[in-house]
Amino acid sequence: MLSLGIPLSVVMRIDADDLVCLAQLHIAIARNPLLYYGGNYDASYYLNCREILRRAPAASEMPDRSVFFTLYSGTFLLYKNKYIKDEDGSALQRMASDFVEQATLHGDPIHIARALAMQGLTMGLSGKYDEALATQQKLEEVYSPSLSEGICREYTSDRAAQNFGYSVLWYHLLDRYAEADRQIEYIINELMPEMDQRDVHNAFVILLPLVWVLLDKGEARRAETTFLQYVCDNYDKFYGDDSSSSTYYFYLYKPLRFLLRLARDAEETSADASQYEDIESWIFSDDFCTIQRYLASYMCALGKDSNCILAE
């Protein structure tokens, strides 16, 4: 019997259509955000889905293998966020390579773009920035914003577009400043206007790496304007009247607003202590520094985690 109570005999006899339904059910449950509560994510649904597809003879008869790609993507997040141990990163790199190979054979650019994004981020997280950028160039040959809706439908967020933001950091870390600048211009002038403006999580992930590079370049006003426009202002516009609404990184909106405001004032020498009473009040309030520690680990690829933001 598998870990979620499904007899192995059922898995061995199930036909291809029912197998697809069973796998999709596991993945839908695994995506439930309540499973992430408190940083103790229950990975069993993804892992059990992987085991079912590995053991079921009908898996070889599935006409549409895209369910495998959704499983690859979800399992990748478990590795990335340390819910599955992979000390040297080798398991993650193998899975990313398998994903690219299978998606290429499948031929759908939605899945190819997601697979290349996973492979690029895997290399970036391992510090292999040259390899990450080589993969990014392949991604850019496949990806266009017209794919964004389909990628979000399959993978909940446009994880291919998010790699454009990561690549700004990779270029910057390799001192390839001209290429970083070109990517920044593409993101601000071409990519972001084409993204779903309601998807503020997607905007946050794309733009935060870019924000740090712009601050390093002495362009705090541009960093602030761009971040507020696509993240904070859009959240207020689409969700501000709904007190039950939130988004994954909403807890960082206020500290980032304050940080960008201070950085802009410092650059423009317009600082006046009387302007910062709201910041001072927040720093000494009970709300300051209440971010759950486990959330910081999710932000490594974004350049700085929540602890760095609060420290600055």
Side-chain angles (χ1 to χ4, degrees):
M1 184 170 290
L2 300 178
S3 61
L4 294 184
I6 299 173
L8 183 58
S9 59
V10 172
V11 173
M12 299 303 289
R13 295 195 309 267
I14 196 169
D15 64 31
D17 290 339
D18 286 342
L19 179 61
V20 170
C21 290
L22 182 61
Q24 289 174 337
L25 176 62
H26 277 75
I27 290 168
I29 296 172
R31 285 175 165 177
N32 187 335
L34 293 177
L35 295 179
Y36 288 88
Y37 183 76
N40 297 311
Y41 177 74
D42 181 359
S44 59
Y45 290 94
Y46 274 129
L47 297 178
N48 210 51
C49 182
R50 185 170 68 178
E51 188 68 7
I52 289 169
L53 291 173
R54 187 181 72 83
R55 293 194 182 208
S60 61
E61 303 168 9
M62 292 166 57
D64 181 1
R65 303 182 67 77
S66 60
V67 68
F68 282 95
F69 308 148
T70 314
L71 177 61
Y72 280 138
S73 181
T75 308
F76 168 76
L77 296 178
L78 300 183
Y79 278 111
K80 174 175 170 281
N81 295 328
K82 312 300 183 187
Y83 291 116
I84 301 177
K85 293 190 180 300
D86 180 27
E87 298 299 337
D88 60 358
S90 59
L92 187 53
Q93 292 177 36
R94 284 195 303 273
M95 187 176 69
S97 180
D98 289 345
F99 190 4
V100 172
E101 180 181 357
Q102 292 299 320
T104 302
L105 289 171
H106 185 73
D108 187 333
I110 287 175
H111 299 298
I112 295 171
R114 172 61 184 122
L116 288 168
M118 179 195 290
Q119 188 173 57
L121 182 54
T122 299
M123 294 300 175
L125 290 169
S126 300
K128 300 176 180 179
Y129 302 125
D130 285 309
E131 292 94 330
L133 288 169
T135 304
Q136 174 67 20
Q137 290 170 6
K138 294 178 183 177
L139 171 61
E140 292 176 17
E141 294 172 4
V142 174
Y143 181 82
S144 73
S146 64
L147 298 176
S148 185
E149 182 179 353
I151 294 172
C152 290
R153 183 175 60 251
E154 294 290 338
Y155 298 105
T156 72
S157 192
D158 190 347
R159 303 189 187 282
Q162 291 165 15
N163 269 50
F164 285 80
Y166 298 138
S167 70
V168 172
L169 273 180
W170 301 335
Y171 281 126
H172 198 67
L173 289 166
L174 292 174
D175 298 336
R176 295 165 62 175
Y177 301 124
E179 291 160 292
D181 288 345
R182 281 197 295 271
Q183 197 74 305
I184 289 171
E185 295 306 317
Y186 171 75
I187 291 170
I188 293 176
N189 298 320
E190 299 183 48
L191 183 63
M192 291 309 303
E194 296 296 322
M195 295 289 97
D196 179 0
Q197 301 302 295
R198 291 178 174 271
D199 193 346
V200 292
H201 172 77
N202 194 51
F204 184 100
V205 177
I206 294 172
L207 291 175
L208 195 61
L210 180 150
V211 161
W212 306 130
V213 174
L214 286 175
L215 291 180
D216 283 347
K217 286 162 52 67
E219 297 182 33
R221 178 171 286 277
R222 193 179 193 200
E224 179 187 38
T225 300
T226 304
F227 187 82
L228 293 181
Q229 176 184 350
Y230 287 109
V231 180
C232 300
D233 293 350
N234 276 346
Y235 181 86
D236 292 340
K237 177 180 179 181
F238 294 114
Y239 308 107
D241 293 335
D242 184 356
S243 60
S244 66
S245 293
S246 188
T247 183
Y248 195 72
Y249 291 116
F250 180 71
Y251 68 97
L252 284 173
Y253 283 18
K254 181 178 285 187
L256 281 167
R257 281 180 189 266
F258 288 156
L259 176 60
L260 292 169
R261 178 174 144 201
L262 290 167
R264 181 243 304 158
D265 285 353
E267 283 184 7
E268 298 177 359
T269 63
S270 59
D272 179 350
S274 64
Q275 299 175 5
Y276 303 134
E277 292 179 358
D278 55 338
I279 300 178
E280 181 180 355
S281 176
W282 171 67
I283 289 173
F284 289 106
S285 72
D286 292 337
D287 291 335
F288 184 72
C289 215
T290 57
I291 296 170
Q292 296 293 324
R293 188 170 297 178
Y294 72 89
L295 293 172
S297 65
Y298 301 164
M299 298 184 64
C300 294
L302 299 175
K304 295 182 182 180
D305 66 17
S306 52
N307 294 321
C308 294
I309 292 168
L310 289 175
E312 290 206 23

